[in-house]
């Protein structure tokens, strides 16, 4: 992903071997009751031993509900965003809080990712435990204990790079106090809010200037750029998102003109969730020459698994289909446990297993409990979720479902799927589990 204005990006590939080595240790973990959906008689095997057995999720003892990730879709999506970032001259720090899966972090780094983005200190610790060399914390960090730990990590590893947001003078002062005596400064970027009513970040350029001045006074901090999250733009549409991104670029130029990045080796300009990264690429192509090379850092994360529903509707690839298309990778298989009326059926999965905050699960397939035949879930909809039941409505003429049948559900919002499943089978198209993805939430 290296360009004339993108220094140091190939170092992401140099770090992937350490992340790979540490992620490989997860294969030594023992399978037991902590991991739902896995075969009970696999207890005591290591994850690696279970993966080597190439068990089929339908016929080799897995219990319902069980979440699967498509190996083919994950590989396709990883390759697509790698190529997209390279094509548009962007560095890539995918938001790891989506998956919190070190094996996926390692694969992203191996594909040239600059580093991993996270949201809270615990997630930084997971990244460091699994060899991630660069971490972008998309939040202001004022926790003294966490800052002390960060300072220790920076002191112990000269190659480790850490960045986080600042959006208030008080936050800067708290950080500087907690980091007093640190051997290396902590790199920070001013977060620009996406507008009134948005989430965190400075609201005005004048406020940004005051925060930058506070950083200049702080002995333990170094200002290296600006960042924000464009999906928070109120009533976001292409025009308003472009306008905000141009404001972000303008803020970088304004602070640079005021000499605020004098100590930076490179100037970071960062944005990009999973809904508007096409506009991030478009506007970041307009970044002017600044006093140091510019690191244009994209942070989209939901692309790894994609989804059925929210991101499926909003992916930028719908607007620019010539750039490619992401593939949904999740499938939740649950079993019909009750068919009390001709119009109702109930599955043995619920809020503990499926995301529901952005869109309900979508029935896709029905697999017969008698002969294993698979047919489309036509005329079947989800009407409600209980803690451990999904309510189905079956319309007249719908695909028949009987007690014992397995139903495949598409899920929206990957962030609230991964966190429900600590060990997820990675499966081939025929249902063979070729690996198991460990998550840490």
């Amino acid at each position: 992903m290296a360009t004339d204005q993108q220094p140091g990006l190939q170092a992401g590939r140099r770090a992937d071997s350490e992340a790979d080595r540490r992620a490989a240790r997860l294969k030594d973990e023992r399978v037991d009751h902590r991991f739902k959906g896995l075969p009970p008689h696999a207890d005591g095997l290591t994850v690696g031993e279970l993966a080597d057995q190439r068990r089929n999720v339908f016929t080799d003892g897995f219990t319902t509900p069980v979440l699967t990730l498509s190996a083919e879709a994950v590989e396709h999506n990883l390759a697509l965003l790698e190529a997209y970032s390279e094509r548009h001259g962007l560095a890539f720090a995918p938001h790891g809080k989506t998956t919190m899966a070190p094996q996926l972090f390692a694969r992203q780094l191996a594909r040239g990712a600059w580093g991993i983005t996270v949201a809270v200190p615990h997630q930084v610790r997971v990244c460091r435990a699994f060899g991630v060399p660069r971490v972008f914390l998309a939040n202001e960090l004022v926790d003294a204990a966490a800052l002390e730990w960060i300072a220790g990590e920076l002191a112990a590893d000269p190659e480790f790079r850490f960045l986080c947001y600042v959006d208030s003078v008080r936050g800067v002062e708290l950080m500087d106090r907690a980091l007093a005596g640190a051997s290396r400064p902590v790199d920070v970027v001013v977060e620009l809010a996406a507008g009134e009513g948005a989430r965190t970040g400075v609201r005005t350029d004048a406020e940004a200037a005051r925060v930058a001045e506070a950083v200049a006074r702080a002995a333990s901090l170094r200002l290296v750029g600006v960042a924000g999250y464009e999906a928070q733009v109120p009533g976001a549409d292409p025009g308003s998102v472009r306008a905000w991104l141009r404001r972000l670029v303008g803020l970088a130029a304004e602070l640079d003109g005021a000499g605020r990045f004098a100590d930076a080796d490179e100037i970071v300009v960062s944005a990009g969730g999973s809904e508007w990264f096409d506009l991030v690429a478009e506007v970041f192509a307009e970044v002017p020459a600044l006093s140091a090379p510019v690191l244009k850092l994209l942070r989209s994360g939901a692309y790894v698994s994609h989804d059925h529903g929210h991101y499926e509707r909003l992916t930028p690839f719908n607007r620019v289909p010539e750039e490619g298309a992401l593939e949904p990778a999740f499938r939740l298989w649950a079993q019909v446990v009750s068919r009390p009326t001709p119009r109702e059926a109930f599955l043995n999965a619920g809020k503990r297993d499926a995301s529901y905050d952005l869109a309900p699960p979508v029935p896709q397939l029905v697999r017969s409990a008698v002969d294993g035949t698979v047919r489309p879930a036509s005329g079947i909809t989800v009407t409600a979720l209980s803690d451990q039941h999904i309510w189905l409505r079956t319309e007249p003429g719908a695909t028949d479902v009987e007690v014992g049948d397995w139903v495949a559900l598409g899920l929206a919002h990957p962030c609230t799927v991964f966190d429900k499943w600590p060990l997820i089978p990675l499966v081939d198209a025929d249902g063979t589990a070729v690996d198991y993805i460990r998550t840490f939430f």
Side-chain angles (χ1 to χ4, degrees):
M1 299 179 192
T3 72
D4 290 343
Q5 277 202 317
Q6 295 288 85
L9 298 187
Q10 294 303 320
R13 283 187 166 85
R14 293 198 297 270
D16 67 305
S17 58
E18 179 60 23
D20 276 331
R21 281 193 294 272
R22 297 195 190 187
R25 298 173 191 168
L26 292 169
K27 293 183 181 297
D28 297 330
E29 190 167 14
R30 296 285 173 181
V31 173
D32 58 25
H33 61 276
R34 293 170 296 163
F35 306 124
K36 57 186 179 179
L38 301 189
H41 53 268
D43 279 9
L45 295 176
T46 67
V47 172
E49 289 168 343
L50 182 58
D52 289 343
Q53 292 181 358
R54 295 295 193 265
R55 298 197 188 195
N56 188 282
V57 295
F58 306 116
T59 60
D60 290 328
F62 288 76
T63 63
T64 55
V66 60
L67 180 72
T68 63
L69 265 177
S70 164
E72 293 90 350
V74 168
E75 177 61 23
H76 168 84
N77 294 343
L78 290 171
L80 186 64
L81 260 291
E82 175 191 23
Y84 183 89
S85 299
E86 290 179 342
R87 188 160 57 248
H88 291 280
L90 300 170
F92 191 32
H95 215 316
K97 61 92 177 173
T98 301
T99 68
M100 287 310 296
Q103 291 144 294
L104 297 178
F105 295 170
R107 290 176 67 173
Q108 290 167 319
L109 292 170
R111 288 186 168 279
W114 174 92
I116 299 295
T117 299
V118 294
V120 293
H122 155 71
Q123 295 167 354
V124 183
R125 292 188 63 197
V126 173
C127 287
R128 292 302 290 157
F130 288 93
V132 175
R134 296 177 190 80
V135 179
F136 188 113
L137 179 67
N139 230 334
E140 185 166 70
L141 179 59
V142 294
D143 184 307
L147 286 163
E148 181 180 355
W149 177 79
I150 291 291
E153 288 291 296
L154 290 167
D157 182 358
E159 299 300 316
F160 175 43
R161 187 166 185 203
F162 173 82
L163 293 84
C164 70
Y165 286 170
V166 288
D167 78 347
S168 67
V169 171
R170 176 170 171 79
V172 168
E173 292 170 349
L174 288 172
M175 291 182 73
D176 194 37
R177 185 184 309 162
L179 291 165
S183 62
R184 288 174 61 190
V186 168
D187 287 345
V188 296
V189 295
V190 173
E191 182 194 7
L192 177 66
E196 290 302 322
R199 206 159 57 191
T200 54
V202 299
R203 264 48 179 177
T204 66
D205 290 356
E207 191 178 354
R210 287 193 293 273
V211 172
E213 290 166 6
V215 174
R217 294 192 298 269
S220 58
L221 302 178
R222 180 174 69 159
L223 188 65
V224 299
V226 298
Y229 179 45
E230 70 289 341
Q232 285 284 306
V233 170
D237 60 30
S240 60
V241 170
R242 281 191 188 92
W244 179 82
L245 288 165
R246 289 185 173 125
R247 186 179 168 212
L248 181 70
V249 170
L251 178 61
E254 181 179 329
L255 292 177
D256 188 47
R260 294 306 182 191
F261 303 133
D263 296 329
D265 299 322
E266 60 186 11
I267 297 170
V268 177
V269 181
S270 180
S274 295
E275 298 175 22
W276 300 100
F277 56 75
D278 57 328
L279 301 188
V280 173
E282 175 189 321
V283 174
F284 279 14
E286 304 169 0
V287 174
L290 301 178
S291 62
V294 178
L295 188 75
K296 305 171 188 176
L297 195 60
L298 179 69
R299 305 193 310 273
S300 311
Y303 80 100
V304 177
S305 62
H306 198 39
D307 75 353
H308 291 90
H310 182 76
Y311 291 109
E312 186 179 32
R313 293 192 305 273
L314 299 176
T315 176
F317 291 123
N318 291 339
R319 294 187 290 272
V320 283
E322 65 274 14
E323 295 270 20
L326 293 166
E327 297 178 0
F330 276 132
R331 200 164 260 172
L332 176 65
W333 289 93
Q335 202 163 18
V336 179
V337 292
S338 181
R339 189 78 158 97
T341 74
R343 297 292 302 276
E344 294 177 296
F346 292 85
L347 305 179
N348 66 340
K351 293 178 181 178
R352 303 286 186 262
D353 313 296
S355 58
Y356 56 91
D357 56 326
L358 295 183
V362 180
Q364 296 180 315
L365 302 170
V366 177
R367 189 177 193 277
S368 171
V370 176
D371 59 14
T373 57
V374 177
R375 53 203 187 275
S378 303
I380 303 174
T381 56
V382 171
T383 60
L385 279 81
S386 302
D387 288 349
Q388 298 293 176
H389 288 98
I390 291 177
W391 301 48
L392 299 183
R393 181 177 66 238
T394 56
E395 302 296 341
T399 297
D400 194 26
V401 290
E402 299 290 347
V403 170
D405 289 348
W406 288 36
V407 177
L409 300 153
L411 303 176
H413 200 188
C415 298
T416 56
V417 178
F418 278 102
D419 67 350
K420 302 178 191 304
W421 293 86
L423 196 63
I424 306 170
L426 186 71
V427 302
D428 283 342
D430 65 356
T432 300
V434 297
D435 202 354
Y436 295 83
I437 302 300
R438 185 71 160 95
T439 66
F440 293 84
F441 282 93

